[in-house]
Amino acid sequence: MAQRYVRVQTLLGHLHYGLLQLDRRVLVLDAPPWLQGQPTEQELEPDSYQILSPCAPSKIVAVGRNYVKHAAELGNEVPKEPLLFLKPPTTVIPPESTILYPPLSQRVDYEGELAVVIGDRCIDCTPEEARAKIWGYTIANDVTARDLQRSDGQWTRGKGFDTFCPLGPWIVREVNPSALLQTFINDDPNPVQSAPISDMMFSPEFVVAYISQVMTLLPGDVVLTGTPEGVGALRVGDRVRVEIEGIGSLENPVEARPTPVSATSTTVEPLDEA
């Protein structure tokens, strides 16, 4: 099994990066792994921490319509170059935290995606250089208020609600280019999305290089590489699970967002100490 790099919070509120062991103990690192974090002598027992999203990005840059069949299912043309948009860091939630269905929307969709984690400052890179800037891979769900995305004519509101970027559960250094991405709703064994990530039109390194011509990517930033066909509506009470071979699975429940917003069971991602 590939090494699994996690970010956790202890019961005392301390944040750590670490290596998840087979027995669920966490070997603590002295810094984020992409900043050359090294193992320490500290280990965390399985019942002494909560898994957070595996990084705390300064920004999440995403690419739309990067799978031909997904573009077609929404009636869109295939873009000639990557179609970029941003999700704010406040969209990020960890595994098992709650996706909050906003009262402003009547149609919220799941979008299972491969996420890239940047390991080194990346600006004006070629695809070959960008490949070396990619530190690892994790799983994301680019949750989208589809009705608002369509009505607004741009994507900030539809993509930007709090909790609209579940991310995790951990980072692996490599992923098979033909790994299968699948999304499941509740206990149905039949996936609503199922496609190899090799179906992407623009590869992760091409997308990272393209983004770097526009903005600087920083260590710990996240790039979402697009979703395959099969996107569909989430409903309050659903549980949505995204799986990618060689990485694992990311699962989150869906609940109604209170109006006005009050305390909920959703985990607020703490600021990094590193």
Side-chain angles (χ1 to χ4, degrees), residues 212-230:
S212 79
Q213 311 303 312
V214 180
M215 66 190 80
T216 301
L217 291 167
L218 301 175
D221 279 350
V222 169
V223 174
L224 307 187
T225 59
T227 195
E229 69 172 327

Side-chain angles (χ1 to χ4, degrees), residues 103-251:
L104 293 175
S105 177
Q106 302 301 310
R107 171 66 186 258
V108 173
D109 285 7
Y110 55 81
E111 293 190 9
E113 307 204 8
L114 174 71
V116 168
V117 179
I118 301 300
D120 192 13
R121 186 181 178 91
C122 184
I123 182 169
D124 293 331
C125 290
T126 66
E128 292 73 23
E129 292 168 335
R131 186 178 296 111
K133 305 289 187 178
I134 295 173
W135 195 86
Y137 304 88
T138 188
I139 305 171
N141 188 345
D142 177 20
V143 182
T144 303
R146 190 72 67 199
D147 52 348
L148 302 182
Q149 181 190 25
R150 288 170 172 160
S151 65
D152 287 358
Q154 51 81 30
W155 298 2
T156 302
R157 188 166 63 138
K159 298 281 191 176
F161 284 94
D162 288 356
T163 76
F164 269 25
C165 189
L167 188 70
W170 41 67
I171 301 169
V172 299
R173 296 301 310 274
E174 303 290 341
V175 67
N176 187 321
S178 298
L180 190 65
L181 184 159
Q182 295 186 304
T183 304
F184 299 84
I185 301 297
N186 301 322
D187 296 325
D188 190 340
N190 300 306
V192 289
Q193 291 184 288
S194 183
I197 59 175
S198 57
D199 280 0
M200 291 181 198
M201 289 183 290
F202 304 109
S203 68
E205 56 267 26
F206 185 93
V207 170
V208 169
Y210 185 87
I211 294 168
S212 79
Q213 311 303 312
V214 180
M215 66 190 80
T216 301
L217 291 167
L218 301 175
D221 279 350
V222 169
V223 174
L224 307 187
T225 59
T227 195
E229 69 172 327
V231 299
L234 290 169
R235 294 173 176 81
V236 171
D238 280 347
R239 291 186 67 86
V240 55
R241 184 175 80 257
V242 184
E243 298 182 356
I244 299 180
E245 288 180 329
I247 302 179
S249 66
L250 170 68
E251 186 166 347

Side-chain angles (χ1 to χ4, degrees), residues 55-61 86-90 216-222:
C55 55
S58 74
K59 55 187 169 293
I60 303 106
V61 190
L86 294 170
K87 293 175 80 81
T90 47
T216 301
L217 291 167
L218 301 175
D221 279 350
V222 169

Side-chain angles (χ1 to χ4, degrees), residues 38-105:
Q38 297 299 310
T40 67
E41 295 182 357
Q42 183 180 3
E43 285 191 341
L44 302 177
E45 295 298 322
D47 59 353
S48 69
Y49 65 84
Q50 176 187 7
I51 285 186
L52 302 176
S53 294
C55 55
S58 74
K59 55 187 169 293
I60 303 106
V61 190
V63 57
R65 304 172 191 167
N66 199 24
Y67 289 75
V68 173
K69 291 181 180 179
H70 169 60
E73 74 177 341
L74 296 181
N76 296 310
E77 294 183 359
V78 176
K80 293 182 173 61
E81 55 187 1
L83 178 61
L84 303 182
F85 61 93
L86 294 170
K87 293 175 80 81
T90 47
T91 59
V92 173
I93 57 172
E96 293 299 333
S97 191
T98 303
I99 298 167
L100 295 179
Y101 200 119
L104 293 175
S105 177

